[in-house]
PDB file of all heavy atoms in Angstrom:
ATOM      1  N   ARG A  12      -6.889 -35.122  35.871  1.00 91.00           N
ATOM      2  CA  ARG A  12      -6.330 -36.465  35.616  1.00 91.00           C
ATOM      3  C   ARG A  12      -4.817 -36.588  35.745  1.00 91.00           C
ATOM      4  O   ARG A  12      -4.327 -37.610  36.188  1.00 91.00           O
ATOM      5  CB  ARG A  12      -6.663 -36.862  34.182  1.00 91.00           C
ATOM      6  CG  ARG A  12      -7.999 -37.479  34.010  1.00 91.00           C
ATOM      7  CD  ARG A  12      -8.064 -38.066  32.605  1.00 91.00           C
ATOM      8  NE  ARG A  12      -9.303 -38.759  32.393  1.00 91.00           N
ATOM      9  CZ  ARG A  12     -10.424 -38.170  31.999  1.00 91.00           C
ATOM     10  NH1 ARG A  12     -10.440 -36.875  31.780  1.00 91.00           N
ATOM     11  NH2 ARG A  12     -11.529 -38.880  31.845  1.00 91.00           N
ATOM     12  N   LYS A 120     -13.856 -30.209  21.496  1.00 98.00           N
ATOM     13  CA  LYS A 120     -13.299 -29.316  22.527  1.00 98.00           C
ATOM     14  C   LYS A 120     -11.983 -28.762  22.012  1.00 98.00           C
ATOM     15  O   LYS A 120     -11.350 -27.946  22.651  1.00 98.00           O
ATOM     16  CB  LYS A 120     -12.957 -30.184  23.761  1.00 98.00           C
ATOM     17  CG  LYS A 120     -13.836 -29.986  24.963  1.00 98.00           C
ATOM     18  CD  LYS A 120     -13.475 -31.005  26.037  1.00 98.00           C
ATOM     19  CE  LYS A 120     -12.592 -30.462  27.116  1.00 98.00           C
ATOM     20  NZ  LYS A 120     -12.492 -31.355  28.282  1.00 98.00           N
ATOM     21  N   TYR A 121     -11.523 -29.315  20.897  1.00 98.00           N
ATOM     22  CA  TYR A 121     -10.205 -28.973  20.350  1.00 98.00           C
ATOM     23  C   TYR A 121     -10.347 -28.432  18.923  1.00 98.00           C
ATOM     24  O   TYR A 121      -9.898 -29.087  17.962  1.00 98.00           O
ATOM     25  CB  TYR A 121      -9.312 -30.225  20.352  1.00 98.00           C
ATOM     26  CG  TYR A 121      -9.094 -30.788  21.733  1.00 98.00           C
ATOM     27  CD1 TYR A 121      -9.940 -31.775  22.246  1.00 98.00           C
ATOM     28  CD2 TYR A 121      -8.062 -30.318  22.546  1.00 98.00           C
ATOM     29  CE1 TYR A 121      -9.756 -32.286  23.528  1.00 98.00           C
ATOM     30  CE2 TYR A 121      -7.864 -30.828  23.825  1.00 98.00           C
ATOM     31  CZ  TYR A 121      -8.721 -31.809  24.303  1.00 98.00           C
ATOM     32  OH  TYR A 121      -8.538 -32.320  25.573  1.00 98.00           O
ATOM     33  N   ASN A 143     -17.617 -27.762  24.882  1.00 98.00           N
ATOM     34  CA  ASN A 143     -16.771 -27.714  26.083  1.00 98.00           C
ATOM     35  C   ASN A 143     -16.711 -29.019  26.858  1.00 98.00           C
ATOM     36  O   ASN A 143     -16.041 -29.099  27.884  1.00 98.00           O
ATOM     37  CB  ASN A 143     -17.225 -26.572  26.997  1.00 98.00           C
ATOM     38  CG  ASN A 143     -17.026 -25.239  26.310  1.00 98.00           C
ATOM     39  OD1 ASN A 143     -15.908 -24.868  25.974  1.00 98.00           O
ATOM     40  ND2 ASN A 143     -18.109 -24.528  26.050  1.00 98.00           N
ATOM     41  N   GLY A 144     -17.397 -30.047  26.399  1.00 96.00           N
ATOM     42  CA  GLY A 144     -17.358 -31.333  27.096  1.00 96.00           C
ATOM     43  C   GLY A 144     -18.461 -32.241  26.603  1.00 96.00           C
ATOM     44  O   GLY A 144     -19.295 -31.819  25.784  1.00 96.00           O
ATOM     45  N   SER A 145     -18.446 -33.488  27.076  1.00 98.00           N
ATOM     46  CA  SER A 145     -19.420 -34.500  26.634  1.00 98.00           C
ATOM     47  C   SER A 145     -19.663 -34.413  25.126  1.00 98.00           C
ATOM     48  O   SER A 145     -20.801 -34.438  24.647  1.00 98.00           O
ATOM     49  CB  SER A 145     -20.747 -34.333  27.385  1.00 98.00           C
ATOM     50  OG  SER A 145     -20.510 -34.427  28.771  1.00 98.00           O
ATOM     51  N   VAL A 146     -18.566 -34.343  24.412  1.00 98.00           N
ATOM     52  CA  VAL A 146     -18.601 -34.109  22.959  1.00 98.00           C
ATOM     53  C   VAL A 146     -19.303 -35.254  22.211  1.00 98.00           C
ATOM     54  O   VAL A 146     -19.891 -35.054  21.149  1.00 98.00           O
ATOM     55  CB  VAL A 146     -17.146 -33.912  22.470  1.00 98.00           C
ATOM     56  CG1 VAL A 146     -17.062 -33.779  20.977  1.00 98.00           C
ATOM     57  CG2 VAL A 146     -16.549 -32.679  23.133  1.00 98.00           C
ATOM     58  N   GLU A 147     -19.271 -36.464  22.814  1.00 98.00           N
ATOM     59  CA  GLU A 147     -19.896 -37.638  22.173  1.00 98.00           C
ATOM     60  C   GLU A 147     -21.388 -37.436  21.917  1.00 98.00           C
ATOM     61  O   GLU A 147     -21.985 -38.123  21.099  1.00 98.00           O
ATOM     62  CB  GLU A 147     -19.680 -38.890  23.041  1.00 98.00           C
ATOM     63  CG  GLU A 147     -18.251 -39.407  23.077  1.00 98.00           C
ATOM     64  CD  GLU A 147     -17.353 -38.683  24.059  1.00 98.00           C
ATOM     65  OE1 GLU A 147     -17.819 -37.730  24.716  1.00 98.00           O
ATOM     66  OE2 GLU A 147     -16.170 -39.059  24.157  1.00 98.00           O
ATOM     67  N   ASP A 160     -11.981 -35.981  19.338  1.00 98.00           N
ATOM     68  CA  ASP A 160     -11.883 -36.028  20.794  1.00 98.00           C
ATOM     69  C   ASP A 160     -10.828 -37.047  21.232  1.00 98.00           C
ATOM     70  O   ASP A 160     -10.324 -37.835  20.423  1.00 98.00           O
ATOM     71  CB  ASP A 160     -13.245 -36.392  21.403  1.00 98.00           C
ATOM     72  CG  ASP A 160     -13.346 -35.999  22.889  1.00 98.00           C
ATOM     73  OD1 ASP A 160     -12.556 -35.148  23.346  1.00 98.00           O
ATOM     74  OD2 ASP A 160     -14.196 -36.565  23.597  1.00 98.00           O
ATOM     75  N   ILE A 161     -10.571 -37.008  22.542  1.00 98.00           N
ATOM     76  CA  ILE A 161      -9.631 -37.941  23.142  1.00 98.00           C
ATOM     77  C   ILE A 161     -10.294 -39.304  23.336  1.00 98.00           C
ATOM     78  O   ILE A 161     -11.428 -39.386  23.787  1.00 98.00           O
ATOM     79  CB  ILE A 161      -9.167 -37.374  24.500  1.00 98.00           C
ATOM     80  CG1 ILE A 161      -8.205 -36.205  24.252  1.00 98.00           C
ATOM     81  CG2 ILE A 161      -8.524 -38.441  25.365  1.00 98.00           C
ATOM     82  CD1 ILE A 161      -7.803 -35.478  25.498  1.00 98.00           C
ATOM     83  N   VAL A 162      -9.554 -40.348  22.971  1.00 98.00           N
ATOM     84  CA  VAL A 162     -10.011 -41.716  23.237  1.00 98.00           C
ATOM     85  C   VAL A 162      -8.927 -42.396  24.053  1.00 98.00           C
ATOM     86  O   VAL A 162      -7.752 -42.353  23.693  1.00 98.00           O
ATOM     87  CB  VAL A 162     -10.228 -42.499  21.916  1.00 98.00           C
ATOM     88  CG1 VAL A 162     -10.686 -43.923  22.217  1.00 98.00           C
ATOM     89  CG2 VAL A 162     -11.227 -41.786  21.020  1.00 98.00           C
ATOM     90  N   GLU A 163      -9.359 -42.974  25.185  1.00 98.00           N
ATOM     91  CA  GLU A 163      -8.376 -43.722  25.981  1.00 98.00           C
ATOM     92  C   GLU A 163      -8.747 -45.200  25.906  1.00 98.00           C
ATOM     93  O   GLU A 163      -8.204 -45.952  25.123  1.00 98.00           O
ATOM     94  CB  GLU A 163      -8.356 -43.203  27.418  1.00 98.00           C
ATOM     95  CG  GLU A 163      -7.243 -43.839  28.237  1.00 98.00           C
ATOM     96  CD  GLU A 163      -7.339 -43.490  29.717  1.00 98.00           C
ATOM     97  OE1 GLU A 163      -8.287 -42.803  30.140  1.00 98.00           O
ATOM     98  OE2 GLU A 163      -6.459 -43.949  30.460  1.00 98.00           O
ATOM     99  N   THR A 164      -9.745 -45.607  26.684  1.00 98.00           N
ATOM    100  CA  THR A 164     -10.153 -47.022  26.642  1.00 98.00           C
ATOM    101  C   THR A 164     -11.146 -47.293  25.512  1.00 98.00           C
ATOM    102  O   THR A 164     -11.339 -48.435  25.114  1.00 98.00           O
ATOM    103  CB  THR A 164     -10.847 -47.402  27.962  1.00 98.00           C
ATOM    104  OG1 THR A 164     -12.011 -46.563  28.092  1.00 98.00           O
ATOM    105  CG2 THR A 164      -9.941 -47.196  29.149  1.00 98.00           C
ATOM    106  N   GLY A 165     -11.819 -46.256  25.049  1.00 98.00           N
ATOM    107  CA  GLY A 165     -12.835 -46.421  24.011  1.00 98.00           C
ATOM    108  C   GLY A 165     -14.222 -46.674  24.589  1.00 98.00           C
ATOM    109  O   GLY A 165     -15.202 -46.775  23.845  1.00 98.00           O
ATOM    110  N   SER A 166     -14.341 -46.751  25.934  1.00 98.00           N
ATOM    111  CA  SER A 166     -15.640 -47.070  26.540  1.00 98.00           C
ATOM    112  C   SER A 166     -16.692 -46.011  26.254  1.00 98.00           C
ATOM    113  O   SER A 166     -17.853 -46.346  25.981  1.00 98.00           O
ATOM    114  CB  SER A 166     -15.559 -47.178  28.053  1.00 98.00           C
ATOM    115  OG  SER A 166     -14.442 -47.855  28.429  1.00 98.00           O
ATOM    116  N   THR A 167     -16.305 -44.744  26.322  1.00 98.00           N
ATOM    117  CA  THR A 167     -17.302 -43.690  26.105  1.00 98.00           C
ATOM    118  C   THR A 167     -17.882 -43.792  24.696  1.00 98.00           C
ATOM    119  O   THR A 167     -19.097 -43.672  24.509  1.00 98.00           O
ATOM    120  CB  THR A 167     -16.680 -42.288  26.340  1.00 98.00           C
ATOM    121  OG1 THR A 167     -15.939 -42.317  27.546  1.00 98.00           O
ATOM    122  CG2 THR A 167     -17.742 -41.209  26.412  1.00 98.00           C
ATOM    123  N   LEU A 168     -17.007 -44.055  23.727  1.00 98.00           N
ATOM    124  CA  LEU A 168     -17.500 -44.206  22.354  1.00 98.00           C
ATOM    125  C   LEU A 168     -18.436 -45.412  22.263  1.00 98.00           C
ATOM    126  O   LEU A 168     -19.574 -45.302  21.796  1.00 98.00           O
ATOM    127  CB  LEU A 168     -16.329 -44.379  21.370  1.00 98.00           C
ATOM    128  CG  LEU A 168     -15.433 -43.158  21.153  1.00 98.00           C
ATOM    129  CD1 LEU A 168     -14.326 -43.492  20.147  1.00 98.00           C
ATOM    130  CD2 LEU A 168     -16.228 -41.950  20.657  1.00 98.00           C
TER     131      LEU A 168
HETATM  132  O1  PRP B   2     -11.916 -43.621  25.854  1.00 82.22           O
HETATM  133  P1  PRP B   2     -12.373 -43.337  27.271  1.00 82.22           P
HETATM  134  O2  PRP B   2     -11.558 -44.102  28.278  1.00 82.22           O
HETATM  135  O3  PRP B   2     -13.835 -43.529  27.439  1.00 82.22           O
HETATM  136  O4  PRP B   2     -12.018 -41.801  27.587  1.00 82.22           O
HETATM  137  C1  PRP B   2     -12.369 -40.763  26.713  1.00 82.22           C
HETATM  138  C2  PRP B   2     -13.387 -39.834  27.285  1.00 82.22           C
HETATM  139  O5  PRP B   2     -12.845 -39.158  28.433  1.00 82.22           O
HETATM  140  C3  PRP B   2     -12.802 -37.754  28.194  1.00 82.22           C
HETATM  141  O6  PRP B   2     -13.892 -37.098  28.705  1.00 82.22           O
HETATM  142  P2  PRP B   2     -13.923 -36.462  30.162  1.00 82.22           P
HETATM  143  O7  PRP B   2     -14.190 -37.502  31.166  1.00 82.22           O
HETATM  144  O8  PRP B   2     -12.669 -35.639  30.374  1.00 82.22           O
HETATM  145  O9  PRP B   2     -15.181 -35.524  30.096  1.00 82.22           O
HETATM  146  P3  PRP B   2     -15.578 -34.416  29.033  1.00 82.22           P
HETATM  147  O10 PRP B   2     -16.093 -35.158  27.846  1.00 82.22           O
HETATM  148  O11 PRP B   2     -16.645 -33.638  29.693  1.00 82.22           O
HETATM  149  O12 PRP B   2     -14.340 -33.614  28.703  1.00 82.22           O
HETATM  150  C4  PRP B   2     -12.821 -37.641  26.674  1.00 82.22           C
HETATM  151  O13 PRP B   2     -13.294 -36.377  26.244  1.00 82.22           O
HETATM  152  C5  PRP B   2     -13.723 -38.775  26.268  1.00 82.22           C
HETATM  153  O14 PRP B   2     -15.071 -38.414  26.386  1.00 82.22           O
END
Side-chain angles (χ1 to χ4, degrees):
R12 275 191 176 85
K120 250 174 100 167
Y121 299 92
N143 296 299
S145 303
V146 175
E147 289 82 358
D160 200 19
I161 287 174
V162 179
E163 187 189 3
T164 61
S166 318
T167 314
L168 291 180

